[in-house]
Amino acid sequence: MIRVLLADDQSLVRAGFRALLDAQPDIEVAGEAADGEEALRRVRELRPDVVLMDIRMPLLDGLGATRRITSDPALADVKVVVLTTFEVDEYVFEAIRAGASGFLVKDTEPDELLRAVRAVVEGDALLSPGVTRRLIAEFAARSKQPAAADALARLTEREREVMALVGIGLSNEEIARRLVVSPLTAKTHVSRTMVKLGARDRAQLVVLAYESGLVRPGWLG
């Protein structure tokens, strides 16, 4: 059973999400929070698998709450999907930097929201369909200067290649076609790379690919 915490300052929004999620045989709403501070308390208390986190909330906004969740080793298994009313580029960049595993606009179709919850539990990154590779390129352009690439030394040549392909936005299926391997093999390489680098999920692997200098802006071939 996937346990979800709803963090949104609008009770009507929370009620709608709860009705959708609780109707699923494999998902249950473990709790709710109306602001960022309450969300933190509830996450520490309930240890949900996924937090659906609104950005604009009182006391502490969703990005701040996400940073505090993802920086706490005791909450390493908690995945955050950031929700907002507007698909604003800057929110996407900041959500990924804060450690979010996904980003969705609130008018996302119900099936897409359910897929997001299930996907992040499996370790996949999730961006709203409207968030394209253009945003990945813009995120890269805004990134800080490449950090020391010492961490990459523990990767095999194939794992570096796979990490670079993840960094330019390819799915496991696309990576498999590019490298002429099976999708399962591609997924295994991605998983091993994440473990070696201590990446929480695929979204963080994208960040590391750019910040290590392994991938540069414009490499979207």
Side-chain angles (χ1 to χ4, degrees), residues 195-218:
V195 169
K196 287 185 177 181
L197 296 180
R200 288 173 59 94
D201 49 42
R202 199 182 187 96
Q204 191 172 16
L205 198 60
V206 172
V207 175
L208 292 172
Y210 282 109
E211 294 190 341
S212 67
L214 184 63
V215 176
R216 313 260 173 165

Side-chain angles (χ1 to χ4, degrees), residues 96-108:
I96 294 175
R97 274 201 175 282
S101 298
F103 178 97
L104 290 172
V105 287
K106 288 184 179 179
D107 62 358
T108 295

